[in-house]
Amino acid sequence: MQDVIIIGGGPGGIAAAVRAAQLGAAVTIIEEAELGGVCLNRGCVPTKALLASAALLARVRRAGEYGITVGEPSFSLRAAMARKDSMIAELRAGTESLLASYGVKVVRGTAGLVGPRQVEVGGEIIEGRAVIVATGSTPAKPVVDGIDSKGVITTDEALALEEVPARLLILGGGPIGVEFAAMFHGFGSRVTLVEPGPQILPGEDHEVGQRVRQSLRDRGIDVLIKTAPTSIRQQEGEELVVSLAGRSGEVSADKVLTTGRAPCLVDLGLTKVGVRLAGGAIVVDDGMRTNVPGLFAIGDATGGQMLSHLASVQGLVAAENAMGRARRMDYRAVPRCLHTDPEVGCVGLTEAQAEEQGYQFKTSTIPFTLSARATTLGDLEGAVKIVAEARYGKILGVHIVGPQATELIGEAALAIQLEATAEDLAYAIRAHPTLAESQVEAARDILGQAIFLPKW
Amino acid sequence: MATKVVMPKLGMAMTDGVVVKWLKADGDQVEKGEHIAVVMSKKITYEVEAPAPGLMRYAAHLKEPKPVGEAIAFIAEPGEAVPGLAELAPVVAAKAVAPQLLEAQPPEAAPFIPATPAARRLAKEHGIDISQVKGTGPEGRIVEEDVARFIQERERAPREILISPMARKLAQEHGLDITQITGSGPGGRIVEEDVRKLIEAKKEVPPVMAPPPRVVPFIGMRQAIAERMMESLRTMAQVTVTTEADVTETVRLREELKEEFDLTYTDIVVKTVAIALKKHPLLNATLVGEEIHLLEEANIGVAVALEEGLIVPVVRGADKKGLSEIARETKRLAQGARENTLTVDEVTGGTFTVTNVGMYEMDTFTPIINPPEAAILGVGRIVEKPAVKKGQIVVCSIMHLSLTFDHRIVDGAPAADFLRTVKHTLEKPYRLLG
């Protein structure tokens, strides 16, 4: 009898396992592939490793601006992939020893629920006081004529490519699509990014969408919005020809990359035990409980934003609740980041969401061109935008496009979590010259007290 | 030489008592014969008079059990120094509930804390637990200055309230006192949601200024009754059975006898019950450890309602007494109960209780057994009802009877049998005259 059985050894499952073990539980974690899940093996980590290569390559090309003379750099995708793979292996080993240090039992195999608290793996049935489903997600291709053509690949395959495709067409202008666009553009592909909605990074603040779209375009990436493929045809010589809705002419590509994802729930026995699903994802409450007592679900399996760090926190919440505590998820301060160049970091409400939720609000935008630090770095693209509630100045959302935005957003996430007001940020002192000053300046601007914005 | 005021012996069985209320303050000047304290035994309360004039100093804590004959206070002559309660060592910890303590557990001794009287007074005034104060006097004795410093530090220490900036602003604007808000965030931090909920709650309920409740002190008799009733229900398996008795003849008997002496239905029931108990000894019993003691005497307690509570004086050997004697005795006891002049012996030693609520127009109820007795009989009102007798509809006087018995001691059948005996006796009461 185990206290907690976790199905899936991704970031959510690992966090849940460690937390449950900290609370004294006997924990079994079942993983059918590699520990670390999509995040470590086919998602966050490999993409960030490759994006680091792409960013450095771009920076080396700009070495002259900094007074450094280098020759034209040459890039090897194989070498970048090898670097990425060795990092994954290292982190995976770290994960294994972490779980071992907590006495978490790792069972290899494919799990299926045979009861609300019974899991079958490798012909054996394990019983637990609680089961946490953390099976994650898997790439899902859209339904398009010719989508099964040979050159149409998912992100899994894109991360194992041996050659840089000369022309890459990416379907989906969400965070995954944009990161892959930046990555392969950096590696030398001619990239076309296709987004069916009115803006790339759908759901993000419109200013963020605009800035990122502009930045991608400036770099030479074709960004097509409000369109989607109607058919994909395979030509001779493996060339793909893609027809796009509402557009005359076709786009040719060597590879077509799909970026959709869907919860991984097949053959898990969910319907057998009566778990409620909606839209192909498990329905949970704010304590990560499903409708079946003793059965929890976290991360991508529950749909939603599909973020590794969100899955981890959901794992902590599920583990605590499985161990008899009462902790609730707080979704107000979940950062959303892109490790592109410039980076993107967002947290909290967008302007549109603030309006939707009936807030009276103010916004302020401070471009990094006003930042001494951004200037010295030579990274002037982007801005900090704050959305604050008008009456009390409560920070509702912060949206940063620019250098180190993914790090800067941590401060904003804390501000939102602690219900800080514009004064709290505006009266803060930040070192000079740093990028963090821009966030303080944006808060000052909410109060009408920005000091580096010229007076109108 | 100071005069000792001792715990009085209020009855033969009394071994100790407690002071439940001081009528004079510690250090007050008192006159001889003035009431200075209310003491309580298991059963009754009694006002203690000052035996001499002088300055009174307490020698007992409120509700601290004191053996009979031991000092509860001293009356000092002018100019004489008498140690106050604070200097009496070891200090006996006062317990919250007195009647329980009277059950002979030895009082727990609290560690003695050396402190000057002035320090103790100051601590008391500010509601400070003196054991929390660090003494700087000789041998760590707490002096007044120590307490003063303690108070100052306590007041200076900022009461830290964790609250989010947003919640603080919101509370401020709505004029809410943040010290009164319970935080739901990490570490009890007050967050926006907490304040919003409070604002909503205030909106929902229009502020009605509830008048302050009238306060009745929960002490003395009230507290003693509460303890006994709870003890009864906690420790016994009580079952209530009810029946009706045709008391037409009893009514007639009483009408006749009333010509001679003041006789109540309760008196008749007391006599009836006493006789029935001789036939059904299990109902006249008490449980002692692993033994059921069947009691020889039928001592019938009669519940008397008083303004401040309830007291149950006892008619001893009621089976051997005639109706007129019983009638005289219940009258005397009831008056004593109302005048608070009963002795402990008059309110103890009962073996069975009768409680009559007929005068309040009640029929049946579930009386609670008066421990350590085994049963109690509740008497309801007498009403005239039509009944069929020998094919004729006749008018009968019907009395409701409710018997609660302790199922640990006696089962349903013998208990019902007892009640049936009572019923039959009340239906043919002339045998009571024998």
Side-chain angles (χ1 to χ4, degrees):
Chain A
M1 182 67 130
Q2 292 290 286
D3 293 310
V4 180
I5 300 172
I6 298 160
I7 306 176
I14 291 166
V18 170
R19 186 68 190 118
Q22 283 173 347
L23 293 172
V27 184
T28 291
I29 193 163
I30 304 166
E31 172 56 55
E32 64 179 0
E34 312 93 355
L35 283 176
V38 171
C39 169
L40 174 54
N41 300 288
R42 294 174 303 281
C44 320
V45 173
T47 54
K48 270 32 123 191
L50 293 173
L51 279 163
S53 294
L56 185 57
L57 185 58
R59 185 69 44 153
V60 170
R61 291 208 171 100
R62 285 176 56 198
E65 290 175 32
Y66 301 85
I68 304 161
T69 307
V70 291
E72 175 60 22
S74 73
F75 172 72
S76 158
L77 182 61
R78 271 170 207 270
M81 288 285 181
R83 171 179 180 272
K84 170 208 82 175
D85 290 339
S86 78
M87 283 173 180
I88 292 172
E90 207 171 296
L91 289 170
R92 208 187 281 154
T95 299
E96 267 168 39
S97 59
L98 172 74
L99 291 177
S101 77
Y102 273 101
V104 173
K105 203 170 148 193
V106 180
V107 175
R108 303 286 174 166
T110 302
L113 288 163
V114 291
R117 298 162 201 234
Q118 288 176 319
V119 182
E120 188 184 338
V121 57
E124 223 179 296
I125 289 176
I126 313 174
E127 277 193 62
R129 284 178 229 284
V131 175
I132 300 174
V133 176
T135 47
S137 63
T138 188
K141 289 182 178 178
V143 182
V144 177
D145 200 15
I147 197 75
D148 293 321
S149 307
K150 198 180 157 214
V152 180
I153 60 173
T154 67
T155 53
D156 285 2
E157 293 146 285
L159 292 172
L161 285 176
E162 295 184 346
E163 279 172 35
V164 177
R167 292 164 303 170
L168 178 66
L169 186 134
I170 299 175
L171 298 181
I176 298 171
V178 171
E179 279 198 346
F180 273 90
M183 183 196 305
F184 279 96
H185 170 77
F187 295 159
S189 295
R190 167 126 189 86
V191 176
T192 304
L193 183 64
V194 177
E195 164 57 39
Q199 77 167 54
I200 61 160
L201 299 177
E204 289 301 348
D205 195 86
H206 65 98
E207 274 188 52
V208 170
Q210 278 167 10
R211 279 183 197 281
V212 172
R213 183 176 166 195
Q214 191 56 50
S215 134
L216 293 176
R217 282 188 165 164
D218 288 350
R219 281 163 175 72
I221 295 169
D222 275 339
V223 180
L224 309 177
I225 57 166
K226 298 185 195 168
T227 186
T230 50
S231 74
I232 301 167
R233 275 180 299 118
Q234 181 108 41
Q235 303 284 83
E236 277 178 48
E238 301 200 351
E239 188 187 48
L240 294 160
V241 178
V242 181
S243 309
L244 295 167
R247 286 184 186 251
S248 55
E250 295 168 324
V251 181
S252 297
D254 299 296
K255 297 280 182 203
V256 171
L257 173 65
T258 66
T259 58
R261 299 196 74 84
C264 215
L265 306 176
V266 182
D267 296 334
L268 200 54
L270 293 173
T271 45
K272 199 188 310 170
V273 297
V275 176
R276 194 181 304 140
L277 304 176
I282 300 175
V283 178
V284 288
D285 66 8
D286 62 1
M288 309 320 293
R289 300 173 195 86
T290 68
N291 61 310
V292 177
L295 189 63
F296 297 77
I298 59 169
D300 294 5
T302 63
Q305 302 188 67
M306 297 197 179
L307 297 167
S308 170
H309 45 279
L310 181 58
S312 296
V313 175
Q314 288 176 330
L316 303 179
V317 170
E320 294 197 6
N321 290 336
M323 292 301 288
R325 302 204 171 186
R327 186 169 154 191
R328 292 188 298 160
M329 272 304 300
D330 181 355
Y331 290 99
R332 291 176 305 173
V334 183
R336 309 175 296 268
C337 294
L338 263 70
H339 291 73
T340 45
D341 179 22
E343 292 186 351
V344 179
C346 301
V347 65
L349 301 186
T350 65
E351 212 179 308
Q353 285 167 338
E355 200 160 338
E356 243 171 58
Q357 295 185 16
Y359 277 105
Q360 298 286 314
F361 62 91
K362 292 181 189 169
T363 67
S364 67
T365 301
I366 297 294
F368 280 111
T369 46
L370 295 177
S371 161
R373 181 57 180 154
T375 306
T376 59
L377 287 172
D379 293 324
L380 293 169
E381 250 180 306
V384 177
K385 175 175 179 174
I386 292 182
V387 181
E389 184 273 334
R391 181 160 194 172
Y392 305 102
K394 187 171 94 156
I395 309 286
L396 298 175
V398 178
H399 310 275
I400 306 175
V401 177
Q404 296 170 41
T406 58
E407 302 295 337
L408 292 172
I409 205 65
E411 181 170 10
L414 185 67
I416 289 176
Q417 187 183 337
L418 297 184
E419 299 179 351
T421 64
E423 278 102 325
D424 296 311
L425 265 184
Y427 298 171
I429 303 171
R430 297 292 173 268
H432 182 75
T434 58
L435 298 166
E437 289 176 293
S438 296
Q439 208 157 186
V440 173
E441 180 74 350
R444 288 193 198 117
D445 191 31
I446 289 284
L447 305 176
Q449 299 168 11
I451 53 171
F452 298 110
L453 272 182
K455 196 175 169 189
W456 292 104
Chain B
M1 182 63 190
T3 312
K4 235 192 215 180
V5 183
V6 301
M7 176 62 69
K9 192 171 176 67
L10 303 171
M12 285 190 315
M14 180 172 168
T15 55
D16 48 12
V18 295
V19 177
V20 291
K21 192 179 179 185
W22 291 109
L23 302 174
K24 291 283 172 185
D26 191 19
D28 268 7
Q29 185 67 34
V30 298
E31 294 306 318
K32 184 177 176 191
E34 230 182 326
H35 288 196
I36 55 172
V38 180
V39 298
M40 190 177 78
S41 76
K42 243 185 219 181
K43 290 276 182 178
I44 60 172
T45 54
Y46 178 78
E47 291 193 1
V48 178
E49 293 174 4
L55 189 83
M56 181 171 89
R57 298 303 307 265
Y58 295 168
H61 291 279
L62 272 184
K63 294 181 183 171
E64 175 194 356
K66 281 280 182 188
V68 168
E70 198 160 293
I72 57 169
F74 292 99
I75 310 286
E77 285 170 17
E80 183 186 21
V82 168
L85 187 57
E87 288 80 33
L88 294 174
V91 176
V92 176
K95 282 280 177 112
V97 185
Q100 263 185 345
L101 266 189
L102 295 173
E103 306 297 335
Q105 359 119 288
E108 211 176 289
F112 174 66
I113 295 150
T116 66
R120 283 186 198 278
R121 180 190 48 75
L122 192 62
K124 196 180 160 195
E125 274 173 17
H126 288 80
I128 289 166
D129 175 5
I130 195 118
S131 66
Q132 301 301 307
V133 181
K134 191 175 155 45
T136 60
E139 288 171 24
R141 189 177 168 90
I142 300 164
V143 297
E144 190 176 5
E145 202 181 307
D146 297 331
V147 180
R149 193 176 338 101
F150 184 87
I151 293 164
Q152 222 176 26
E153 278 166 14
R154 189 177 66 168
E155 276 162 12
R156 208 183 304 133
R159 263 174 308 160
E160 201 178 331
I161 293 165
L162 290 173
I163 180 166
S164 87
M166 178 61 194
R168 187 185 293 277
K169 275 193 171 180
L170 200 59
Q172 228 159 36
E173 184 172 295
H174 286 81
L176 298 173
D177 177 4
I178 60 169
T179 62
Q180 302 302 312
I181 304 174
T182 311
S184 67
R189 189 169 197 263
I190 301 166
V191 296
E192 183 184 355
E193 197 186 356
D194 302 324
V195 182
R196 293 238 180 251
K197 274 186 186 162
L198 196 67
I199 293 167
E200 278 309 304
K202 290 208 166 178
K203 254 188 230 160
E204 278 160 24
V205 188
V208 177
M209 294 306 281
R214 287 198 304 132
V215 175
V216 178
F218 187 64
I219 55 164
M221 181 181 279
R222 190 73 257 142
Q223 204 175 47
I225 292 170
E227 274 301 312
R228 288 183 70 76
M229 292 299 101
M230 281 315 295
E231 182 204 342
S232 176
L233 288 178
R234 215 170 24 237
T235 57
M236 294 188 202
Q238 304 196 9
V239 182
T240 303
V241 290
T242 66
T243 189
E244 290 179 358
D246 173 0
V247 294
T248 313
E249 295 298 316
T250 295
V251 171
R252 191 172 302 147
L253 175 74
R254 178 183 173 244
E255 293 305 319
E256 282 172 23
L257 291 179
K258 251 175 71 177
E259 309 274 306
E260 296 168 35
F261 57 93
D262 197 353
L263 180 68
T264 65
Y265 288 112
T266 304
D267 299 334
I268 297 172
V269 173
V270 165
K271 176 69 179 171
T272 304
V273 161
I275 290 171
L277 286 174
K278 299 312 277 187
K279 237 179 110 181
H280 304 273
L282 272 176
L283 279 295
N284 198 46
T286 188
L287 191 61
V288 181
E290 292 177 353
E291 295 170 343
I292 295 171
H293 289 189
L294 305 180
L295 304 170
E296 204 43 52
E297 290 186 306
N299 300 335
I300 311 299
V302 180
V304 178
L306 302 173
E307 203 177 309
E308 65 270 33
L310 169 79
I311 198 156
V312 188
V314 176
V315 180
R316 291 182 183 271
D319 55 318
K320 297 190 193 76
K321 288 178 178 163
L323 277 177
S324 62
E325 199 181 344
I326 289 173
R328 260 199 319 278
E329 199 166 332
T330 55
K331 223 135 283 131
R332 183 181 59 75
L333 290 170
Q335 192 178 350
R338 281 189 280 273
E339 291 169 1
N340 197 17
T341 57
L342 294 176
T343 67
V344 166
D345 299 321
E346 283 169 331
V347 293
T348 54
T351 61
F352 187 100
T353 299
V354 170
T355 171
N356 189 346
V357 294
M359 54 286 231
Y360 304 109
E361 296 174 28
M362 298 297 112
D363 293 330
T364 59
F365 61 115
T366 58
I368 297 175
I369 295 170
N370 193 12
E373 295 169 12
I376 182 168
L377 181 67
V379 179
R381 66 173 160 176
I382 297 168
V383 280
E384 291 195 330
K385 280 186 181 174
V388 180
K389 288 205 169 161
K390 292 175 188 160
Q392 300 275 315
I393 297 177
V394 293
V395 174
C396 296
S397 293
I398 300 296
M399 175 192 268
H400 290 88
L401 296 170
S402 308
L403 175 76
T404 299
F405 60 94
D406 184 356
H407 211 319
R408 296 177 308 161
I409 297 175
V410 58
D411 293 331
D417 206 24
F418 164 80
L419 188 56
R420 190 170 55 181
T421 300
V422 172
K423 170 185 157 86
H424 287 169
T425 310
L426 291 172
E427 286 174 349
K428 295 198 172 58
Y430 293 98
R431 67 188 69 173
L432 291 175
L433 299 173

